Amino acid sequence: MRTEDKLLKEERPTDLARRDPARPRMTRTRFWLLGTTLAVYAATVIGVLTTSWLVRFDWQVMLFRPYKQWPEFHMFLDYFVVMGQRGPTAVAVAAWLGWCCYKQRTLRPGLVLGTSLLLLNATVGAVKIGFGRLGPHYATSVGSSEMWRTGDI
């Protein structure tokens, strides 16, 4: 049997459709990770909307005043809050994915990271603006969720 015959025999249209890289299938693990992430996100939104223990915890942290408890960490805490905690994580992931790009000789991991960070920031920003929650320093009534008040926290 010649090599061309073997290749033609193996490449049937149904096989090509299954192996099409333009339509990757989500693995079971990734499906559960996505579902869990969406569930946690929804629970957080519902927790804030209903003024649950999450809002009370937020107020306890704000009234604890970590800036006054540890003044030497004031600058670090400011940068940590302003960066939204995504900055340090993105730098670590970018370093790892940079290594993956180098080893795999493709830019795809880096492009996926860039696209996901853009989508993350756009959706989080839209949700923050949509809910209009005031930040802890601008809050007016202790214990409330401070929603729909033209804030962006």
Side-chain angles (χ1 to χ4, degrees), residues 47 50-63 133 143-144:
T50 60
T51 314
S52 70
W53 67 269
L54 194 58
V55 174
R56 290 191 297 278
F57 177 71
D58 192 29
W59 273 99
Q60 288 173 350
V61 170
M62 198 277 288
L63 294 174
R133 184 168 185 233
S144 72

Side-chain angles (χ1 to χ4, degrees), residues 59-109:
W59 273 99
Q60 288 173 350
V61 170
M62 198 277 288
L63 294 174
F64 180 67
R65 305 208 190 291
Y67 294 113
K68 291 187 179 184
Q69 297 289 332
W70 302 290
E72 61 273 11
F73 294 115
H74 190 281
M75 188 184 321
F76 170 75
L77 290 172
D78 272 347
Y79 283 116
F80 188 71
V81 169
V82 168
M83 289 174 58
Q85 297 89 37
R86 285 186 294 273
T89 304
V91 169
V93 171
W96 178 66
L97 287 179
W99 176 252
C100 290
C101 288
Y102 172 74
K103 292 300 277 182
Q104 296 173 6
R105 301 197 188 284
T106 179
L107 292 177
R108 186 171 183 211

Side-chain angles (χ1 to χ4, degrees), residues 16-63:
L16 289 176
R18 260 187 261 138
R19 291 184 287 152
D20 185 12
R23 296 187 309 166
R25 298 188 125 203
M26 187 180 290
T27 64
R28 182 173 289 166
T29 303
R30 289 183 180 174
F31 176 78
W32 283 105
L33 283 173
L34 177 64
T36 304
T37 302
L38 291 174
V40 168
Y41 190 76
T44 303
V45 169
I46 291 169
V48 170
L49 288 174
T50 60
T51 314
S52 70
W53 67 269
L54 194 58
V55 174
R56 290 191 297 278
F57 177 71
D58 192 29
W59 273 99
Q60 288 173 350
V61 170
M62 198 277 288
L63 294 174

